[in-house]
Amino acid sequence: YLSLVPLRLINWTTLPKCSEVWEDVVNHPLAIKFPPPNQYQLNFLKKALNKWTAQGCEVYDEVYERIAGIVSGQTSKEEWCYKTYFFRDSLSITLQESTQMVSGATTGLCTWNGALTMCEWCLKNRDIFRDCDTVIELGSGVGLLGLFLGKLRVARRLLLTDHSQLVLKQLDQNISLNSEEDEDGYKFDNLCVHKLDWLDEPVLIPWEVLDPENAPEIGGRKQKLIILASDCVFDPELCKSLALVLKELLTNQKGQLWEREAYICSTERNSETMDGFLQNVEEAGITISKIDEEVPSVFLRENICQTLIHKLTTT
């Protein structure tokens, strides 16, 4: 409900009784503060109502009142919505996102499937962040992956980047939104938002923000710089630029005090685009290998296209 899961994916045969849904779902504290769009609430409650009445279950008057109130007050379609993503151990991230896949001439104002998969993969593979000093995320969008990694405390510093000022503004707002909600006092004070345009010539990597000279060794081992990106391989015209950004991050002498590696999660919508990216990466002198492993699903969603995770390093 709070994640706006498509209703067709919900197992309605196991729907709890009205009192439980009303009190624990519809009136969950997060649902009160960050309610789903009115249309989603309406569709959810009407579907649940049909199930309850068919089973002869008691239905709260408040359900009918909520439905009537939404119907009578409906206006134009909402442009923004809240989505709350629940992980294990009661960890959750709430984001304000666009209801449109493309908004303000960018695709970065909503969460895509690759970010969900990358969160699931990182949750399973937390060991890769051992001795991690800094994480930089490319194409952070509205911030699901970056905020999630912040709550996991995976690194001393997390740098979240994107090229769109609209996206960066929304990313800042979502960091503030979750700083207010964190119950254990974590304020995301180790997160930094920075503009990074892959098309800049030369690419302006914010080394002064990354501050590699202050990455001391631990037990005689170099600390890590981990580069992450999800759903960034979708435009053939940007693939070469992305490959060059990865090369700069993985090979620039300014980062030589780190052990460096990158992980890219891509949704394979078009095999030619994916093949082109792999070729661009190899031409940039980067070693890339596909990671084949089963990743337990945390989020209920449609997987229409295959998601691929690759590890990138340099020799």
Side-chain angles (χ1 to χ4, degrees), residues 137-272:
E137 183 187 8
L138 306 177
S140 298
V142 288
L144 177 64
L145 177 60
L147 286 164
F148 169 62
L149 294 177
K151 285 206 171 187
L152 287 185
R153 318 291 204 277
V154 299
R156 182 170 66 96
R157 182 193 299 106
L158 292 98
L159 179 62
L160 311 185
T161 70
D162 213 291
H163 76 96
S164 165
Q165 291 295 347
L166 281 175
V167 172
L168 294 172
K169 179 181 178 181
Q170 192 58 44
L171 179 54
D172 272 326
Q173 291 179 0
N174 282 333
I175 292 173
S176 298
L177 189 71
N178 287 274
S179 298
E180 297 171 1
E181 289 305 303
D182 196 286
E183 294 180 356
D184 61 8
Y186 177 58
K187 295 295 184 182
F188 295 100
D189 50 5
N190 63 332
L191 265 67
C192 179
V193 174
H194 201 281
K195 179 179 174 64
L196 179 59
D197 192 334
W198 308 341
L199 298 179
D200 282 343
E201 294 185 9
V203 176
L204 302 176
I205 302 296
W207 293 108
E208 73 283 358
V209 178
L210 292 170
D211 194 20
E213 294 183 2
N214 289 321
E217 293 185 354
I218 296 180
R221 301 189 307 274
K222 284 186 177 182
Q223 290 196 65
K224 291 181 182 177
L225 166 66
I226 293 181
I227 303 124
L228 299 175
S230 56
D231 263 328
C232 289
V233 180
F234 61 91
D235 185 344
E237 295 183 4
L238 290 177
C239 287
K240 184 175 182 180
S241 298
L242 174 57
L244 293 176
V245 171
L246 290 166
K247 178 181 180 180
E248 175 73 5
L249 285 167
L250 289 168
T251 63
N252 192 295
Q253 288 297 307
K254 292 181 179 179
Q256 63 183 329
L257 296 180
W258 281 313
E259 176 187 336
R260 291 174 279 186
E261 56 195 35
Y263 297 90
I264 310 296
C265 182
S266 308
T267 302
E268 191 175 22
R269 301 177 180 88
N270 183 302
S271 59
E272 292 182 2

Side-chain angles (χ1 to χ4, degrees), residues 67-78:
I67 291 174
I70 294 174
V71 171
S72 63
Q74 274 189 331
T75 55
S76 58
K77 183 177 180 180
E78 293 154 290

